[in-house]
Amino acid sequence: MKRLLLAVTAVLAVAGCAQNFDQGPEGQVTDKVKSGKKFYLVVKPAKGGDEKKFRVSKYDYHDCNRGSKYPKCVDD
């Protein structure tokens, strides 16, 4: 019983650490910015308009390189 309780607690702790940020516009990654422990991507929208800077998880930050297509780079 203790093992089951520990397993459930561990799963909930990991799930609680997940970061959910709003997804940015589809487009091309033009820059990556790290500010302390916060990670941002700058994307030029495919439909035109000004570049948009938005916060992402550290995993998305590391998965998306300059010049890659967002959000596809997150799914690769």
Side-chain angles (χ1 to χ4, degrees):
M1 185 67 169
K2 283 186 178 181
R3 286 185 183 176
L4 177 61
L5 183 58
L6 287 174
V8 170
T9 304
V11 168
L12 291 175
V14 170
C17 294
Q19 297 175 332
N20 292 323
F21 300 107
D22 292 334
Q23 186 172 357
E26 289 187 24
Q28 183 176 17
V29 177
T30 58
D31 199 9
K32 296 168 60 168
V33 181
K34 181 179 175 190
S35 177
K37 291 187 176 183
K38 297 179 181 177
F39 301 90
Y40 299 89
L41 292 178
V42 179
V43 171
K44 181 177 181 185
K47 296 180 180 179
D50 295 333
E51 291 181 332
K52 183 172 180 181
K53 177 181 171 183
F54 53 95
R55 190 169 174 195
V56 295
S57 71
K58 68 179 178 180
Y59 305 106
D60 292 347
Y61 177 85
H62 291 294
D63 288 345
C64 293
N65 297 311
R66 288 174 185 87
S68 63
K69 292 183 180 180
Y70 182 85
K72 185 173 176 4
C73 57
V74 173
D75 298 331
D76 288 344

